Amino acid sequence: ETGVTQTPRHLVMGMTNKKSLKCEQHLGHNAMYWYKQSAKKPLELMFVYNFKEQTENNSVPSRFSPECPNSSHLFLHLHTLQPEDSALYLCASSQTVVPYNEQFFGPGTRLTVL
Amino acid sequence: AQKITQTQPGMFVQEKEAVTLDCTYDTSDQSYGLFWYKQPSSGEMIFLIYQGSYDEQNATEGRYSLNFQKARKSANLVISASQLGDSAMYFCAMREGVNTGGFKTIFGAGTRLFVKA
C-alpha cells in the first residue's frame, strides 16, 4: 500500500451508533489531519496531530473523538452523530506542519447519518 | 473575513486551450505557503502545485503553473493544454507561518472546471 488510505470508503449510521473511521499513511510523515467536507462549504480542518500529539482542535463537537496511536495511524471515533454531520471526511498527512510541506490526502469516507 | 477567495464557482474551457483559475488570499504573515489541489468526482484531493511566499520564481509542475503576484496577494493557477481529465473541482489553499496558526491549512470554496471536447 502506498500513500494515504482510509477505511471505510462509505458509512451509513444511525444517530445512536458508534463507529470509527481509520486513516493510515505509508509516507513516513509526522503530521496527520482530519478534514470535513460538506456540500457547498469549503473544506474544514477538524484536528491536527504532529508527532502523535494533538496540536489543533478546531472547535469540533465532542461527538467526534480523534485518536493517534502512532505517526502512521489516525482514527476518528464517532458517537451520537447528527444528520448534519453527513459529509465527506478526509484524512491527510504531511512531513511536518511547516507551511511549505504539502498535504497528501486519502480518498475520504463518505458518511451518511440517518 | 475570508482568507482564501475563489471568485469563479464554475469555469468552462475548450479542450487543448489554457485556463486560469483565480485565487486571492489574505494574510499578515510574511512566511506562508500556497497550494492548489484537484478533486475529481471520486473525492480524493490531489496535490498539484506549491508556491512559497519567499519564492521569487513562479512555480511550475508540468501543465500547471502558478501565477504568483505577492503584492496583489493573488495565486492564480494556469492549466495549459486542457484535457478532458482536468474536469474537476480545484481548491486554492494557504498555510500561514507558525506565528499565525501554522498548523492550519485554509481552503477556498473551490472552482469547478468543465473541459469541453
Side-chain angles (χ1 to χ4, degrees), chain B residues 55-86:
Chain B
D55 294 340
E56 295 184 353
Q57 301 288 329
N58 284 346
T60 59
E61 287 287 345
R63 293 186 298 111
Y64 304 108
S65 61
L66 200 151
N67 184 1
F68 181 45
Q69 298 191 32
K70 193 170 182 177
R72 295 184 179 183
K73 293 186 177 178
S74 75
N76 299 339
L77 177 70
V78 180
I79 305 175
S80 62
S82 298
Q83 301 172 357
L84 296 178
D86 293 335

Side-chain angles (χ1 to χ4, degrees), chain A residues 22-78:
Chain A
K22 179 183 176 181
C23 174
E24 185 174 0
Q25 58 95 0
H26 308 268
L27 301 168
H29 289 168
N30 297 303
M32 297 188 76
Y33 313 77
W34 278 117
Y35 286 89
K36 175 184 178 183
Q37 188 176 32
S38 306
K40 300 180 181 180
K41 291 178 70 175
L43 208 62
E44 299 172 78
L45 178 68
M46 299 176 72
F47 301 104
V48 180
Y49 278 83
N50 191 35
F51 291 93
K52 301 188 299 179
E53 297 296 320
Q54 187 180 123
T55 55
E56 188 75 30
N57 177 338
N58 203 25
S59 302
V60 180
S62 60
R63 57 185 184 270
F64 295 92
S65 174
E67 179 190 0
C68 188
N70 54 61
S71 292
S72 300
H73 294 85
L74 185 64
F75 296 89
L76 188 63
H77 303 300
L78 317 170

Side-chain angles (χ1 to χ4, degrees), chain A residues 33 35 37 42-43 45 48 55-56 58 90 96-103 105, chain B residues 33 35 37 39 42-45 47 50 91 95-97 102-105 107-108:
Chain A
Y33 313 77
Y35 286 89
Q37 188 176 32
L43 208 62
L45 178 68
V48 180
T55 55
E56 188 75 30
N58 203 25
L90 290 162
T96 66
V97 294
V98 298
Y100 51 82
N101 285 160
E102 67 267 30
Q103 293 172 314
F105 284 80
Chain B
F35 305 83
Y37 289 87
Q39 187 178 40
S42 60
E44 186 171 356
M45 297 283 279
F47 166 73
Y50 161 81
F91 293 95
R95 186 183 296 188
E96 294 173 295
F103 300 143
K104 295 184 181 179
T105 301
F107 286 77

Side-chain angles (χ1 to χ4, degrees), chain B residues 1-74:
Chain B
Q2 289 188 357
K3 290 217 166 188
I4 296 285
T5 303
Q6 294 180 254
T7 58
Q8 307 150 315
M11 288 278 288
F12 285 88
V13 64
Q14 195 67 40
E15 191 179 12
K16 300 181 184 177
E17 292 186 351
V19 63
T20 297
L21 306 184
D22 295 341
C23 174
T24 57
Y25 60 92
D26 182 29
T27 182
S28 58
D29 209 318
Q30 297 301 309
S31 174
Y32 52 90
L34 297 159
F35 305 83
W36 277 93
Y37 289 87
K38 171 185 178 182
Q39 187 178 40
S41 55
S42 60
E44 186 171 356
M45 297 283 279
I46 302 168
F47 166 73
L48 296 178
I49 196 167
Y50 161 81
Q51 179 84 43
S53 59
Y54 292 117
D55 294 340
E56 295 184 353
Q57 301 288 329
N58 284 346
T60 59
E61 287 287 345
R63 293 186 298 111
Y64 304 108
S65 61
L66 200 151
N67 184 1
F68 181 45
Q69 298 191 32
K70 193 170 182 177
R72 295 184 179 183
K73 293 186 177 178
S74 75

